Amino acid sequence: IQGWTPNFIPKVCEDGLKLNLKDEVLLVDGKDAMDMAIKLAQREGIFCGVSGGATVWTAIEVCKKAPKGSNVLAMVPDTAERYLSTPLFESIEAEMNAEERMMFESTPLGVP
């Protein structure tokens, strides 16, 4: 994950692993994490970084296997503003496209 030292494990995670508090460890491909971060911004208005995308991607994978009626929590404590000039947002144009313009114009702010 961008910004982290390779093979870095936060202390809280390391302690949890040592205590065997996990059910399983899921590895997330960087592309999947970035794609999910973009989807969260576009579809849900959640502006997060790559680690937030990885967290939600993992939660969705857990939901696929969880028993019906389970509750799954995914915390996304990051914001994406420091990633605007990174590969995470290279596919986002500075100006609105036609679809985005139409959506904007359907809001009170977009009404002339």
Side-chain angles (χ1 to χ4, degrees):
I1 294 176
Q2 182 176 350
W4 288 20
T5 305
N7 299 319
F8 171 75
I9 299 175
K11 182 171 177 7
V12 67
C13 181
E14 182 180 356
D15 291 348
L17 289 170
K18 285 180 182 175
L19 293 170
N20 202 29
L21 299 175
K22 62 172 176 26
D23 292 320
E24 70 178 307
V25 174
L26 296 176
L27 301 178
V28 182
D29 183 75
K31 182 177 180 344
D32 291 331
M34 291 174 72
D35 289 347
M36 182 56 69
I38 294 295
K39 286 178 187 174
L40 287 168
Q42 290 174 331
R43 299 179 184 171
E44 305 296 335
I46 299 171
F47 198 50
C48 68
V50 178
S51 60
T55 299
V56 173
W57 184 92
T58 302
I60 290 171
E61 292 302 306
V62 168
C63 289
K64 290 176 182 176
K65 297 186 274 182
K68 186 175 181 174
S70 295
N71 292 308
V72 176
L73 170 68
M75 294 178 62
V76 182
D78 193 8
T79 181
E81 58 190 20
R82 66 179 170 201
Y83 303 108
L84 290 174
S85 62
T86 70
L88 177 59
F89 290 106
E90 70 185 0
S91 66
I92 307 294
E93 296 293 327
E95 300 300 322
M96 286 188 251
N97 63 30
E99 181 183 7
E100 293 165 337
R101 169 72 48 202
M102 191 170 73
M103 188 183 310
F104 173 69
E105 290 172 353
S106 74
T107 69
L109 264 178
V111 175

